[in-house]
């Protein structure tokens, strides 16, 4: 059940005629959760600050006039809206003193209630079921209002808009409380007494609050009320359909507002997260549930027509992810990995899956999602990058990752491949120093040593191969801290130099980033953080290395450009059809 805390009195009330009539028409939230507008059952509207139990304003209509629906606050215009004598709409501001001098307009049909969702435009609900936006209604107040309800129907609850026959039980009671059915009143946990009338209000998806008037036979004194909270039944509509015509219970920002005798009480509450199974003591251990889900999913995924079940697979994944986010003890990594492997899933179908995997540090599932999901948003891609780059290498090595991806990086990081070799036919050191030393005596430069561990590198490679748009990726890349940017650029430099060496064996069939993908990410990271990198002392050497590397690539392109003309001439030459046994031809290139 919900936890009820010690209450306090917000204000006094005019004496009610009977226990089931509270003397209050309605309570509405005002500018924030600490301000409410209280409308009594006769002529007054009052503004209160709840935490101080302090009245901030009061407005009253003339003697002989009556407010016929609760006042609401229009947060767009900072105005109050109420209805008097069923047809007169009144609008005023907090600084107005007399309602009679404020704006008013008479409409052509009786108004039942004015509704105003916080931040939205007020909506007028008429007694015969028609609905109009306030602004459009005030533009022509005497416009005809159509009747939506049948002749024998009427609105009994403005909050539920629950349409019932006026000829049904309780119709003759008019504005008095409409009691709950006897079967429900007897079922409520109120010791040995009975309730004469009761009102119910939904607190959240799992709890209902009920306030009731004890039956005279219980011997309770005048003014006594009882308040209970209980878990929702499987059919809560049976309880809520028979509410009082005038509710005696309101709830805003985890506070219950209850008229009690001559006072309006405020009772703070808290609804704990719970389930019916745990309440009954029948909740199984999480491990036994993981096992049960795994068995059922394996049976589903073993079907030959799995592609036909794609919508069901997506719904299953979304359900498992939602349960895992809500319950820290529940997680099914193997099942989720199997679902991703079916390729029946994408990010848009289950948008919380990657974030769940990051939260649970399930890096294998992250890797699978990056491999199989073609629609991962750039924000999620950057979230993965930030998570991977910040993982301690010790923790990353514990993750079980794709074997092919690991094989690629093991070969790339091996010492045999680490010797300084030719890059696209040219040695970058020869361009800078004019000569190269013996490989046997030349130590491996720092940029030839991988700055991250094996598994961490594998995860970063998955990010490099994810589809993205430069426009959407750049803003998120700027969230990386300078330390991580430097480390990422060092890794990209290492990766490009190794993959571009002629001595590096081509490993076809293994998942690995291409040279174009690596260089694209280098450019993106530099674009996003160049100013910061220039001002970072630790990045000076890295930027110089990248500058030197770019110069070598420019030199390479320049050398290739010198033979472009020769290659074009060779392409233009026509080969003779019959050259006999052999032929000797002299080709003059210059």
């Amino acid at each position: 059940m919900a936890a009820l805390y010690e209450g306090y009195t917000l204000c006094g009330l005019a004496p009610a005629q009977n226990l089931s009539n509270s003397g209050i028409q309605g309570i509405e939230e005002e500018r924030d959760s600490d301000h409410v507008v209280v409308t009594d059952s006769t002529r007054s509207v009052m503004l209160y600050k709840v935490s101080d139990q302090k009245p901030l304003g009061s407005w009253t209509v003339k003697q002989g006039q009556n407010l016929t629906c609760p006042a609401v606050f229009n947060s767009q215009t900072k105005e109050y809206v109420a209805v008097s004598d069923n047809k007169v709409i009144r609008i005023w501001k907090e600084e107005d003193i007399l309602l009679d001098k404020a704006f008013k307009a008479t409409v052509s049909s009786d108004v039942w209630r004015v509704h105003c969702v916080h931040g939205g435009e007020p909506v007028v609900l008429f007694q015969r079921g028609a609905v109009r936006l306030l602004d459009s209604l005030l533009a022509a107040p005497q416009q005809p209002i159509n009747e939506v309800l049948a002749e024998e129907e009427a609105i009994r609850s403005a909050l539920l808009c629950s349409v019932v026959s006026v000829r049904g039980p309780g119709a003759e009671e008019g504005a008095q409380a409409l009691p709950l059915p006897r079967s429900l009143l007897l079922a409520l946990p109120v010791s040995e007494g009975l309730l004469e009338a009761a009102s119910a209000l939904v607190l959240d998806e799992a709890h209902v609050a009920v306030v009731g008037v004890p039956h005279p036979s219980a011997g309770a004194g005048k003014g006594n009320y009882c308040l209970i909270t209980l878990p929702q039944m499987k059919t809560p509509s049976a309880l809520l359909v028979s509410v009082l015509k005038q509710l005696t219970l309101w709830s805003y920002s985890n506070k219950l507002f209850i008229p009690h005798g001559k006072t309006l009480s405020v009772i703070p509450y808290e609804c704990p997260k719970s389930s019916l199974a745990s309440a009954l003591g029948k909740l199984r251990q999480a491990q036994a549930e993981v096992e049960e889900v795994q068995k059922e999913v394996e049976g589903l995924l073993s079907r030959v027509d799995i592609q036909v079940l794609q919508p069901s697979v997506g719904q299953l994944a979304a359900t498992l992810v939602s349960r895992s986010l809500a319950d820290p003890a529940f997680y099914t990594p193997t099942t989720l990995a199997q679902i991703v492997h079916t390729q029946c899933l994408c990010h848009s179908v289950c948008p919380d899956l990657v974030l769940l995997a990051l939260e649970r540090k399930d890096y294998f599932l992250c890797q699978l999602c990056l491999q199989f999901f073609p629609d991962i948003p750039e924000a999620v891609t950057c979230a993965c990058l930030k998570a991977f780059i910040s993982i301690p290498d010790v923790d990353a090595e514990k993750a079980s990752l794709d074997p092919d991806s690991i094989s690629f990086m093991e070969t790339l990081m091996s010492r045999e491949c680490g010797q300084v070799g030719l890059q696209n036919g040219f040695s970058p050191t020869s361009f800078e120093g004019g000569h190269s030393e013996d490989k046997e005596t030349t130590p491996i430069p720092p940029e030839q040593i991988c700055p991250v561990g094996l598994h961490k590198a594998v995860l970063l490679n998955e990010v490099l191969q994810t589809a993205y748009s430069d426009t959407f990726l750049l803003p998120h890349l700027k969230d990386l801290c300078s330390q991580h940017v430097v480390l990422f650029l060092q890794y990209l430099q290492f990766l490009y130099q190794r993959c571009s060496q002629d001595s590096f064996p081509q490993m076809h069939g293994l998942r690995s980033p291409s040279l174009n993908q690596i260089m694209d990410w280098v450019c993106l990271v530099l674009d996003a953080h160049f100013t910061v990198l220039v001002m970072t002392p630790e990045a000076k050497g890295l930027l110089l290395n990248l500058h030197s590397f770019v110069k070598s690539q420019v030199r390479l392109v320049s050398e290739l450009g010198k033979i472009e003309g020769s290659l074009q001439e060779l392409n233009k030459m026509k080969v003779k059809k019959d050259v006999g046994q052999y032929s000797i031809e002299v080709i003059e290139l210059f």
Side-chain angles (χ1 to χ4, degrees):
M1 290 188 180
L4 299 177
Y5 299 103
E6 184 177 358
Y8 51 89
T9 298
L10 180 62
C11 63
L13 299 176
Q17 295 180 356
N18 54 59
L19 288 177
S20 59
N21 183 1
S22 66
I24 289 184
Q25 288 199 63
I27 300 175
E28 297 286 338
E29 200 169 41
E30 205 231 15
R31 68 198 74 175
D32 55 37
S33 61
D34 198 33
H35 292 79
V36 292
V37 180
V38 179
T39 306
D40 68 18
S41 59
T42 54
R43 302 188 298 130
S44 299
V45 177
M46 294 149 288
L47 172 63
Y48 289 95
K49 185 174 182 181
V50 180
S51 59
D52 297 339
Q53 300 100 57
K54 178 181 178 181
L56 302 180
S58 177
W59 302 269
T60 305
V61 295
K62 283 185 176 182
Q63 186 75 28
Q65 298 174 340
N66 288 297
L67 293 173
T68 51
C69 84
V72 298
F73 180 72
N74 184 353
S75 59
Q76 293 182 346
T77 62
K78 304 298 186 292
E79 295 175 327
Y80 304 94
V81 183
V83 178
S84 64
D85 301 324
N86 295 315
K87 292 185 178 180
V88 181
I89 297 178
R90 297 176 180 267
I91 301 176
W92 71 97
K93 291 183 177 293
E94 185 174 352
E95 57 267 22
D96 294 332
I97 299 176
L98 300 176
L99 280 185
D100 199 49
K101 293 184 178 181
F103 174 85
K104 56 185 175 182
T106 304
V107 296
S108 60
S109 184
D110 290 349
V111 175
W112 176 264
R113 187 63 58 93
V114 179
H115 290 280
C116 188
V117 179
H118 190 72
E121 182 181 348
V123 176
V124 180
L125 172 64
F126 289 89
Q127 289 191 6
R128 300 307 303 159
V131 177
R132 294 287 189 275
L133 291 175
L134 180 62
D135 285 348
S136 62
L137 179 62
L138 294 180
Q142 289 299 311
Q143 60 183 275
I145 305 299
N146 59 315
E147 294 192 2
V148 177
L149 303 181
E151 183 178 353
E152 68 278 5
E153 294 176 329
I155 300 175
R156 299 294 290 180
S157 171
L159 290 181
L160 298 177
C161 297
S162 63
V163 175
V164 298
S165 172
V166 297
R167 299 173 185 171
E172 67 280 2
E173 298 180 48
Q176 296 182 11
L178 184 65
L180 293 173
R182 179 175 176 80
S183 58
L184 286 176
L185 292 177
L186 292 175
L188 294 177
V190 288
S191 302
E192 299 178 358
L194 302 178
L195 294 180
E196 180 183 21
S199 175
L201 183 67
V202 176
L203 301 182
D204 64 5
E205 69 277 2
H207 296 86
V208 174
V210 179
V211 62
V213 181
H215 194 275
S217 63
K222 184 177 180 180
N224 286 340
Y225 281 71
C226 64
L227 171 67
I228 56 174
T229 63
L230 59 155
Q232 282 202 40
M233 316 301 181
K234 290 185 177 180
T235 56
S237 58
L239 182 62
L240 298 180
V241 75
S242 297
V243 297
L244 301 177
K245 182 175 186 292
Q246 286 186 296
L247 287 174
T248 55
L249 181 65
W250 293 266
S251 173
Y252 293 106
S253 303
N254 279 28
K255 300 183 188 72
L256 293 173
F257 295 82
I258 305 173
H260 181 229
K262 297 181 180 181
T263 62
L264 176 61
S265 300
V266 180
I267 301 179
Y269 69 89
E270 182 179 6
C271 292
K273 296 295 182 182
S274 61
S275 65
L276 182 60
S278 61
L280 296 177
K282 296 181 180 179
L283 186 62
R284 297 181 180 180
Q285 294 295 326
Q287 182 65 31
E289 282 188 297
V290 169
E291 293 176 357
E292 183 178 347
V293 170
Q294 177 73 20
K295 182 178 180 180
E296 294 294 333
V297 172
E298 286 179 353
L300 174 66
L301 300 183
S302 64
R303 296 184 53 169
V304 179
D305 55 345
I306 185 64
Q307 294 294 333
V308 181
L309 299 176
Q310 185 169 357
S312 301
V313 172
Q315 185 177 6
L316 171 62
T319 302
L320 291 175
V321 169
S322 177
R323 170 75 185 277
S324 299
L325 289 172
D327 183 2
F330 182 88
Y331 187 56
T332 56
T334 305
T335 301
L336 292 172
Q338 287 178 324
I339 294 176
V340 174
H341 264 298
T342 64
Q343 301 187 35
C344 294
L345 204 60
C346 61
H347 181 271
S348 56
V349 173
C350 192
D352 293 329
L353 178 56
V354 179
L355 298 180
L356 171 66
L358 289 176
E359 178 184 310
R360 297 300 181 98
K361 297 183 179 180
D362 188 347
Y363 300 121
F364 177 61
L365 183 57
C366 289
Q367 183 184 28
L368 292 181
C369 292
L370 291 172
Q371 289 180 0
F372 289 104
F373 288 0
D375 59 342
I376 293 181
E378 286 77 2
V380 177
T381 301
C382 276
C384 291
L385 174 60
K386 291 173 66 176
F388 297 161
I389 202 73
S390 59
I391 306 172
D393 286 329
V394 176
D395 294 340
E397 296 305 313
K398 299 176 182 178
S400 175
L401 301 177
D402 176 52
D404 287 346
S405 303
I406 294 178
S407 297
F408 168 76
M409 282 308 303
E410 285 177 338
T411 303
L412 202 67
M413 297 170 69
S414 63
R415 185 171 180 83
E416 289 77 9
C417 183
Q419 300 298 329
V420 179
L422 298 179
Q423 297 179 1
N424 293 323
F426 292 85
S427 172
T429 55
S430 64
F431 294 135
E432 298 301 316
H435 65 278
S436 60
E437 301 179 0
D438 189 354
K439 292 183 180 179
E440 296 295 331
T441 60
T442 302
I444 300 177
E447 61 269 17
Q448 290 285 336
I449 301 175
C450 187
V452 299
L454 174 63
H455 283 205
K456 192 170 185 175
V458 170
L459 292 173
L460 291 176
N461 288 350
E462 296 298 343
V463 174
L464 300 182
Q465 299 172 80
T466 305
Y468 62 87
S469 166
D470 296 8
T471 304
F472 298 112
L473 185 63
L474 269 174
H476 299 289
L477 279 177
K478 294 180 180 179
D479 293 336
L480 290 174
C481 67
S482 59
Q483 179 184 359
H484 291 161
V485 170
V486 172
L487 180 60
F488 190 37
L489 283 174
Q490 288 173 342
Y491 175 68
L492 291 173
Q493 176 187 239
F494 159 81
L495 201 60
Y496 191 88
Q497 290 187 348
R498 286 296 183 89
C499 291
S500 61
Q501 289 177 0
D502 290 345
S503 60
F504 177 70
Q506 298 297 320
M507 303 182 67
H508 299 289
L510 296 182
R511 180 173 170 82
S512 60
S514 66
L515 289 175
N516 287 339
Q517 288 173 328
I518 299 170
M519 282 306 300
D520 286 344
W521 273 91
V522 171
C523 296
L524 282 169
V525 176
L526 288 175
D527 288 344
H529 292 274
F530 185 75
T531 304
V532 176
L533 289 171
V534 170
M535 303 297 293
T536 304
E538 296 81 1
K540 183 178 180 180
L542 173 64
L543 291 178
L544 289 175
N545 287 337
L546 290 175
H547 175 69
S548 173
F549 180 71
V550 170
K551 285 182 63 177
S552 70
Q553 296 303 302
V554 172
R555 178 70 180 273
L556 170 63
V557 173
S558 176
E559 295 294 329
L560 291 175
K562 292 179 180 179
I563 64 173
E564 181 180 8
S566 302
L567 295 176
Q568 290 178 349
E569 290 298 323
L570 287 173
N571 188 48
K572 291 178 182 178
M573 295 180 61
K574 296 181 179 179
V575 181
K576 295 181 180 180
K577 295 183 178 179
D578 186 12
V579 295
Q581 294 292 333
Y582 66 93
S583 67
I584 299 176
E585 297 185 25
V586 178
I587 301 175
E588 295 183 2
L589 299 177
F590 300 99

